[in-house]
Amino acid sequence: MGGAGATCCSRRPVRRRWLGGKMAAVSLRLGDLVWGKLGRYPPWPGKIVNPPKDLKKPRGKKCFFVKFFGTEDHAWIKVEQLKPYHAHKEEMIKINKGKRFQQAVDAVEEFLRRAKGKDQDLTIPESSTVKGMMAGPMATFKWQPTASEPVKDADPHFHHFLLSQTEKPAVCYQAITKKLKICEEETGSTSIQAADSTAVNGSITPTDKKIGFLGLGLMGSGIVSNLLKMGHTVTVWNRTAEKCDLFIQEGARLGRTPAEVVSTCDITFACVSDPKAAKDLVLGPSGVLQGIRPGKCYVDMSTVDADTVTELAQVIVSRGGRFLEAPVSGNQQLSNDGMLVILAAGDRGLYEDCSSCFQAMGKTSFFLGEVGNAAKMMLIVNMVQGSFMATIAEGLTLAQVTGQSQQTLLDILNQGQLASIFLDQKCQNILQGNFKPDFYLKYIQKDLRLAIALGDAVNHPTPMAAAANEVYKRAKALDQSDNDMSAVYRAYIH
């Protein structure tokens, strides 16, 4: 399956591969199907292809440019980290498990069936600009380094990120560096790093504890799906029972009431919409509290205020239960991809017991100390995000009314220090008029309201959040509550 037009690093076949830690002769060239190994991540099936014309080859590295199957990821891979696909297929399938991995292998086989001996290349985006990649492949970037792996120009993790390789990158080096690094807490908080993103492979060893999950909304659905994919035993309950059907088909068990789920499971997670829903779930009829007995564990992943979570912790512990708050930072897509950021506080031992669950649902998790700290931190994070979204919408509408191109504004922002996947995705929502919810507008307004109250409690001014909150309230009055937060844009055009 050779091809013409090989790049500088693929003009001569390279004769090496892994074999018991030693190199053995093998020829690789443009068009070959391979297993690519990136850093500490497991081998993944891909194809050696031509890179976009303005994509730089890493200095001093003998490598090939690989397009991976089953994802939209690309990477420069060093030749010693490549193996021929067919010769090692059986070996790789034995050592790698998981639904996403199997889907990638299936994609290779489908490619081979379609090729039928013809010379076909996997499609690389025609546009060599990062602008096009940000809206497509780069929006689903999965492999990321841990805090112990600083981003450097010579680091293969960094070269995996196409944005760093173009002559005119849409995102500056500093912005990428900040995105790839895991935040280092100066306060002494600790974190559990996901051993592997669930979006890439299924190598997590699930806990043998029985897991319960209450609440199958935008966030909860993705979380439960990833828990099941990683082999956890999960019992689900949702106020609207029909939402449980899909997960029952995927292997989950059905709980009739929150109390039943808690009484039959070792650790029960909950993710609901607001403080009232969180309290009703615990204190209401057939609620969590009725199922709590000594040793039972309850993890509330809802975004609520510190007073609410403290009250829930007290009643759970009073019955001999163990409590952890663990709100999540992210959206529906990140939940589906298992790439959430989890902020936890409360029972440290329970936090550690949840390790495999947190690895399945998130890219990293932080332990922030006593109950209430995670709630406060989560509200601050969402306050910043919500205020930023309102500012984005304000800028786009101001551009429009002054006769400036909104698309050009986005292009300019994507070339500067504000560039981010969040900025690009939300602007695209607005430009396309697509406000399908990824993070409900009514929930970001709720978080802004709670963050303002948090500031009031400590006599700290939050004028930016207060202004943004008024805009979201206006959007809610225009029936935008159940749209994505980017629908705040409509508050400025009515």
Side-chain angles (χ1 to χ4, degrees):
M1 295 179 63
T7 61
C8 61
C9 61
S10 57
R11 288 173 180 163
R12 289 187 296 175
V14 180
R15 306 179 62 82
R16 10 173 129 174
R17 66 177 172 88
W18 312 311
L19 184 63
K22 298 181 179 180
M23 307 303 293
V26 65
S27 177
L28 293 177
R29 65 185 71 229
L30 185 70
D32 282 353
L33 298 179
V34 293
W35 297 97
K37 182 80 166 64
L38 182 68
R40 62 187 175 85
Y41 300 101
W44 201 260
K47 183 181 179 184
I48 297 175
V49 298
N50 271 321
K53 292 181 181 179
D54 59 354
L55 196 63
K56 293 180 181 179
K57 172 183 172 290
R59 295 179 181 178
K61 294 180 181 294
K62 294 181 179 180
C63 61
F64 288 101
F65 189 71
V66 177
K67 163 101 178 188
F68 293 100
F69 285 87
T71 75
E72 292 293 343
D73 291 336
H74 316 69
W76 287 108
I77 304 294
K78 293 187 290 186
V79 293
E80 60 265 30
Q81 300 300 323
L82 294 171
K83 288 185 178 183
Y85 176 80
H86 295 287
H88 296 274
K89 175 182 173 182
E90 185 175 345
E91 168 194 347
M92 295 302 175
I93 291 177
K94 285 182 179 179
I95 64 175
N96 291 302
K97 304 295 181 183
K99 185 176 180 180
R100 298 292 177 94
F101 176 80
Q102 185 57 54
Q103 288 174 343
V105 174
D106 291 343
V108 179
E109 298 306 311
E110 177 63 21
F111 172 80
L112 291 172
R113 283 193 293 271
R114 292 182 179 181
K116 294 182 179 179
K118 295 180 181 180
D119 184 13
Q120 297 184 5
D121 283 344
L122 283 176
T123 301
I124 290 292
E126 292 181 3
S127 170
S128 60
T129 66
V130 177
K131 171 188 168 185
M133 296 173 187
M134 280 298 293
M138 292 318 303
T140 56
F141 171 76
K142 303 297 192 305
W143 283 343
Q144 299 194 23
T146 63
S148 62
E149 297 170 330
V151 180
K152 299 178 181 178
D153 191 55
D155 191 322
H157 292 77
F158 186 78
H159 288 299
H160 184 208
F161 216 79
L162 280 179
L163 299 178
S164 66
Q165 302 302 319
T166 56
E167 293 287 352
K168 298 179 180 180
V171 179
C172 64
Y173 178 91
Q174 290 84 359
I176 299 168
T177 303
K178 291 177 182 178
K179 179 183 187 307
L180 293 181
K181 285 183 178 179
I182 300 298
C183 176
E184 297 178 1
E185 288 286 324
E186 295 179 356
T187 58
S189 66
T190 58
S191 64
I192 293 175
Q193 302 292 339
D196 303 283
S197 166
T198 59
V200 176
N201 76 96
S203 62
I204 293 171
T205 301
T207 179
D208 57 2
K209 297 180 183 298
K210 295 178 181 179
I211 303 300
F213 204 95
L214 312 175
L216 299 174
L218 290 183
M219 305 298 280
S221 293
I223 291 172
V224 170
S225 180
N226 280 312
L227 287 172
L228 290 169
K229 287 174 185 175
M230 296 302 109
H232 294 84
T233 300
V234 185
T235 299
V236 296
W237 174 88
N238 191 71
R239 184 173 56 184
T240 305
E242 291 76 13
K243 286 190 176 182
C244 297
D245 294 344
L246 176 62
F247 302 100
I248 301 304
Q249 294 173 16
E250 292 183 3
R253 302 171 183 176
L254 179 63
R256 292 177 296 178
T257 65
E260 179 184 283
V261 173
V262 172
S263 64
T264 57
C265 296
D266 300 305
I267 303 174
T268 299
F269 294 85
C271 188
V272 293
S273 59
D274 55 34
K276 182 180 185 304
K279 290 181 180 180
D280 289 346
L281 189 62
V282 173
L283 305 173
S286 300
V288 168
L289 195 59
Q290 294 184 25
I292 291 290
R293 59 178 185 269
K296 293 294 181 180
C297 302
Y298 187 63
V299 182
D300 194 333
M301 307 191 80
S302 313
T303 299
V304 298
D305 57 286
D307 288 344
T308 294
V309 78
T310 299
E311 179 183 344
L312 296 181
Q314 289 172 346
V315 297
I316 295 295
V317 173
S318 71
R319 296 288 182 90
R322 300 167 65 195
F323 182 86
L324 187 75
E325 59 166 330
V328 293
S329 178
N331 54 28
Q332 183 182 28
Q333 186 60 53
L334 292 175
S335 177
N336 292 341
D337 292 342
M339 296 295 285
L340 296 169
V341 176
I342 300 148
L343 310 181
D347 188 316
R348 179 57 187 262
L350 177 52
Y351 171 71
E352 294 172 353
D353 289 342
C354 291
S355 176
S356 76
C357 296
F358 288 161
Q359 289 179 34
M361 65 182 75
K363 64 178 179 180
T364 191
S365 61
F366 292 88
F367 184 76
L368 303 178
E370 64 182 19
V371 168
N373 284 346
K376 294 173 185 176
M377 184 69 81
M378 189 73 260
L379 291 177
I380 295 168
V381 169
N382 284 357
M383 178 188 74
V384 172
Q385 181 174 255
S387 299
F388 183 41
M389 181 67 251
T391 301
I392 292 171
E394 188 171 303
L396 285 172
T397 51
L398 183 58
Q400 183 180 44
V401 299
T402 57
Q404 306 305 305
S405 165
Q406 292 179 322
Q407 180 62 59
T408 300
L409 172 60
L410 173 56
D411 293 343
I412 293 169
L413 291 173
N414 270 337
Q415 292 285 348
Q417 292 180 326
L418 292 178
S420 64
I421 291 176
F422 177 83
L423 171 74
D424 189 73
Q425 288 179 339
K426 297 308 181 185
C427 284
Q428 293 295 346
N429 286 356
I430 293 171
L431 294 177
Q432 297 167 16
N434 175 17
F435 298 109
K436 179 182 178 182
D438 193 44
F439 193 124
Y440 282 115
L441 184 144
K442 61 186 177 184
Y443 293 158
I444 197 68
Q445 190 273 323
K446 174 262 298 183
D447 293 344
L448 281 166
R449 173 172 51 81
L450 293 176
I452 293 167
L454 176 62
D456 288 344
V458 293
N459 197 31
H460 183 78
T462 53
M464 300 300 104
N469 186 46
E470 293 303 315
V471 183
Y472 283 100
K473 285 162 62 176
R474 169 66 174 161
K476 287 176 66 177
L478 294 169
D479 296 324
Q480 301 302 310
S481 290
D482 292 324
N483 282 333
D484 185 71
M485 69 162 74
S486 52
V488 70
Y489 173 81
R490 290 178 170 166
Y492 289 98
I493 60 176
H494 286 83

